[in-house]
Every structure is written in structure tokens, then in C-alpha cells.
Amino acid sequence: MRDLETSAIVIQKWVRGWLVRRDHVDFFKKIKYRKFIIREIINFEKTYITKISLLINELKKPLLEQSIVNIDIVDQLFSNIDEILDLHVSIHNTLTATQPPIQIGLIYLKL
């Protein structure tokens, strides 16, 4: 008798879960799409940081070290690239450290 009750409870849980999922398909699609967008933003920030770091390490630093171009010209070309890099590193760290739900707009406004 106990097995019959347990089986009935399991079936009832499954049916109720199916009914909830069926009624909220659009909501679950929106959640899935939102997670996809958040992952894309985090990946974009990571790629952007990599590219800016590459620009600094492979172009700006060698120009300064080898004195190929005047320091003033290098400063004009890369005027605030270090601050831009720091900002995006901060954004990336905040996005990856924040527990869901992430309010991306507030993070960008804050930083």
C-alpha cells in the first residue's frame, strides 16, 4: 500500500510540474533568452578586455619603450585607454561576481 501511495505522489508531482511548465512556456523562454544575453555581455566584456590589453601591450608599450614616436603623440593616440581598460575589467569582475538575478543596467550605470 505504501508503494502505491508513493507512486501516486510521484505521478501527481510530475503532472503538476508539467502543467506549470505548459502554462509558463513564454516565461521560461524569456528567462532562457535573458540568460543567453547575460552570457553574451560577459563574453563581450572578456573579449574587449583581451583586445584592449593586446593593444596596450603590443602597440602602446613598444612605442613608448623604443621612442619611435614622440611621447605626446602616443599620449594623444592612446589618451585614456588605461582608464577604459580598468573600467571594463571592473564591469567584467562585477558581472561575474554578482549572483543571479543580475541587473546589468544598474551595474553599467553604477560604474
Side-chain angles (χ1 to χ4, degrees):
M1 187 69 176
R2 186 81 171 134
D3 291 335
L4 186 59
E5 289 176 5
T6 305
S7 298
I9 290 172
V10 169
I11 291 171
Q12 191 177 33
K13 285 180 184 179
W14 185 86
V15 169
R16 285 182 179 169
W18 177 79
L19 289 171
V20 168
R21 286 189 300 277
R22 184 190 68 180
D23 292 341
H24 296 92
V25 168
D26 291 336
F27 175 74
F28 290 124
K29 283 182 183 177
K30 288 178 184 178
I31 294 294
K32 186 177 178 181
Y33 185 66
R34 187 176 191 280
K35 287 180 181 179
F36 170 76
I37 296 297
I38 290 170
R39 279 193 310 270
E40 286 297 311
I41 290 172
I42 291 171
N43 288 337
F44 172 78
E45 289 294 338
K46 184 177 178 181
T47 303
Y48 191 71
I49 290 168
T50 303
K51 301 292 181 177
I52 294 292
S53 298
L54 183 70
L55 185 66
I56 291 171
N57 293 329
E58 300 297 324
L59 195 57
K60 181 182 177 184
K61 285 183 181 178
L63 285 174
L64 289 172
E65 290 170 358
Q66 297 174 6
S67 300
I68 298 172
V69 181
N70 189 348
I71 293 176
D72 294 333
I73 294 174
V74 173
D75 287 340
Q76 286 177 343
L77 289 172
F78 304 100
S79 61
N80 60 347
I81 198 163
D82 295 317
E83 291 85 14
I84 292 171
L85 177 63
D86 292 340
L87 172 68
H88 285 279
V89 166
S90 166
I91 290 171
H92 181 267
N93 291 341
T94 304
L95 287 173
T96 54
T98 305
Q99 295 296 322
I102 299 174
Q103 295 180 343
I104 294 175
L106 293 178
I107 291 171
Y108 276 99
L109 286 174
K110 183 177 116 183
L111 297 173

